[in-house]
Amino acid sequence: MGERVILHVDMDYFFAQVEELENPSLKDTPTAVCMVSDRLSSMGTVASANYVARKYGVKSGMPCFNAKKICPQITLLPARKRHYEQVSGRVMEILACHCKILEQVSVDEAYLNVSEKTGFDNVEKLIVQIKKDIFDGERLTCSIGAGPNKLIAKMGSSEKKPDGHTIVKPHEVEEFLASKPVEKLFGVGEKTAAKLKEMGVDTVSKMRALSRERLTTVFGEARGGRLYDFSRGIDDSAVRERQKEQYGRLKSLRKTTNDAGEVRLLLDELTDEVHQKLKSESMSCRTISATFILDDLTTMTRSKTLPTHTSDLAVMKETAHKLVDEFMSSNNAVRRAGITASNIRKETGQKSLFEF
DNA sequence: AAGCGCGTTAGTC
DNA sequence: CTAACGGACTAACGCGCTT
């Protein structure tokens, strides 16, 4: 296999930018799109903030009351997920025109393997063209990273934002990574960063000084090995189209509760929706999981794997009820609850070509 | 000991 | 006065069981 050229396209402050499209006056004022629940006295959390708001320190994931505190004049809008998904779909179609394989990672992000279209010498032309196509078609800006693999492309796209691009050629990878703080490395989250800090490791170059053995001992075989590779800019994973592996719904209760009946009622609703999604794509599932989020925001999950695949609503609800009852008999009050169907496959009778 | 199925948590956007 | 905080998804770990 020759040298790969991978792009990572990241839409700029996606939800808020889409809102600006319909109300351009928002562009000059601090604005954030919020996920809100129907919880009593709930202001939800920030899902996306424009760059005016970011100047005040508003960030996604932040509770809205904090955003309001540090930026009292902020405009808070409720998220319209359906709408963003439709816009996203059109953007992805544009991207698909520029490569054979498109890997959509989330509503606003995708990887493209463009090795057959360009080398590193000409990749800037392609990047500019993609950005132009998206802007001409949707009036939206994005940031793009180019690199020899997904890891570097991904980290490149966040280098220059908004409306920027960064190209990291293979021989530049080492320098690109060296001085980055560990938490900037993809795959290093809060917990991993804290452990590394304890070990006196705060930059990627210091992380490179750790042996593979040390990392796998501390973080486990797969994760430790990945950290070892990632700190060296090594990532052989392929750009591949994704198929969804689970369908889930999660919702806040109006009020934190101890009452298993209330939680069952909520899960019934959510199970209806998950069942719809499953049915609409002719899928069945074998595992049902219930998620419970407590008042202190700790997440707990309980699951059951059935003897056979099913898409039967009654079976799904019954399983969910069991999970709720088991959990609630020995645990704290629940603030949010959800259901997930996994272990999914195409409903039989549709016989795929591979089923011989 | 290697591999698998299962239940659970960490991480990301 | 204080406390207030979404939702969706994938990766992968550890365990117990089988081979």
Side-chain angles (χ1 to χ4, degrees):
Chain A
M1 174 171 54
E3 188 171 81
R4 296 190 297 160
V5 182
I6 310 296
L7 302 185
H8 180 257
V9 178
D10 194 350
M11 300 305 294
D12 299 322
Y13 62 106
F14 186 51
F15 296 174
Q17 200 191 352
V18 171
E19 293 295 341
E20 285 178 352
L21 234 40
E22 281 168 50
N23 186 352
S25 69
L26 295 174
K27 281 191 218 171
D28 313 310
T29 65
T31 303
V33 172
C34 303
M35 305 293 302
V36 287
S37 64
D38 33 338
R39 203 176 160 75
L40 254 43
S41 86
S42 154
M43 297 216 289
T45 58
V46 173
S48 167
N50 73 0
Y51 278 79
V52 185
R54 288 185 200 200
K55 275 200 313 216
Y56 293 87
V58 176
K59 292 199 192 88
S60 50
M62 175 181 275
C64 291
F65 65 83
N66 276 347
K68 200 84 186 173
K69 195 162 60 191
I70 61 178
C71 181
Q73 72 275 40
I74 195 168
T75 303
L76 297 175
L77 302 169
R80 297 185 291 155
K81 285 201 69 183
R82 276 299 153 69
H83 180 54
Y84 310 140
E85 273 161 19
Q86 283 175 4
V87 177
S88 167
R90 297 198 299 267
V91 171
M92 294 299 157
E93 278 178 33
I94 294 169
L95 293 180
C97 296
H98 289 281
C99 59
K100 277 218 197 97
I101 304 169
L102 177 73
E103 177 172 346
Q104 182 174 351
V105 188
S106 70
V107 70
D108 67 340
E109 265 181 78
Y111 292 102
L112 289 73
N113 186 337
V114 294
S115 311
E116 287 165 33
K117 294 203 81 152
T118 181
F120 277 100
D121 289 341
N122 299 316
V123 72
E124 182 157 28
K125 268 205 189 82
L126 176 60
I127 289 172
V128 170
Q129 184 65 49
I130 291 174
K131 286 165 69 72
K132 182 176 188 303
D133 287 353
I134 294 175
F135 192 78
D136 289 350
E138 299 294 331
R139 294 334 248 192
L140 290 167
T141 65
C142 64
S143 298
I144 299 184
N149 58 47
K150 292 207 283 187
L151 170 72
I152 300 302
K154 165 87 184 167
M155 293 180 65
S157 69
S158 43
E159 194 74 3
K160 252 191 121 199
K161 287 181 161 209
D163 199 13
H165 67 269
T166 300
I167 299 166
V168 182
K169 296 179 182 178
H171 70 274
E172 299 166 332
V173 166
E174 185 175 341
E175 190 194 342
F176 174 74
L177 287 177
S179 62
K180 295 250 184 310
V182 283
E183 61 269 20
K184 283 277 172 66
L185 191 67
F186 184 72
V188 176
E190 202 184 323
K191 313 262 176 178
T192 309
K195 266 195 204 175
L196 285 167
K197 200 132 275 182
E198 275 177 37
M199 299 163 72
V201 173
D202 56 352
T203 64
V204 175
S205 72
K206 284 188 193 164
M207 196 167 150
R208 280 182 69 154
L210 302 176
S211 68
R212 185 172 209 113
E213 289 67 36
R214 182 88 192 280
L215 283 166
T216 53
T217 303
V218 177
F219 296 102
E221 200 55 42
R223 164 164 251 102
R226 242 165 57 108
L227 289 175
Y228 181 86
D229 288 342
F230 278 13
S231 67
R232 286 161 178 73
I234 296 170
D235 175 17
D236 294 330
S237 65
V239 176
R240 61 180 214 297
E241 275 164 45
R242 295 207 188 190
Q243 12 139 54
K244 217 172 275 185
E245 288 169 9
Q246 54 183 229
Y247 295 94
R249 281 280 286 133
L250 177 71
K251 201 164 181 266
S252 291
L253 288 142
R254 273 190 89 248
K255 196 166 174 304
T256 301
T257 183
N258 245 313
D259 179 356
E262 271 183 63
V263 179
R264 275 200 301 261
L265 223 51
L266 173 64
L267 283 203
D268 274 348
E269 275 176 45
L270 302 182
T271 305
D272 281 330
E273 294 180 39
V274 169
H275 176 253
Q276 280 304 0
K277 270 201 271 187
L278 228 45
K279 276 293 189 190
S280 73
E281 301 186 23
S282 314
M283 303 291 272
S284 58
C285 68
R286 239 191 97 204
T287 303
I288 301 286
S289 312
T291 301
F292 305 98
I293 297 172
L294 312 183
D295 233 4
D296 64 358
L297 300 183
T298 45
T299 301
M300 314 202 80
T301 67
R302 294 292 182 267
S303 63
K304 277 192 193 301
T305 299
L306 307 167
T308 67
H309 279 80
T310 186
S311 57
D312 187 305
L313 179 60
V315 172
M316 292 172 67
K317 284 190 177 175
E318 204 179 299
T319 310
H321 286 179
K322 281 185 198 157
L323 291 167
V324 170
D325 293 344
E326 281 166 28
F327 181 82
M328 303 285 288
S329 64
S330 62
N331 278 281
N332 281 329
V334 172
R335 176 193 186 107
R336 299 157 69 191
I339 180 155
T340 300
S342 59
N343 221 330
I344 60 178
R345 68 165 194 213
K346 208 77 177 167
E347 195 109 63
T348 48
Q350 306 265 344
K351 56 186 114 189
S352 98
L353 286 175
F354 305 102
E355 267 180 53
F356 284 104

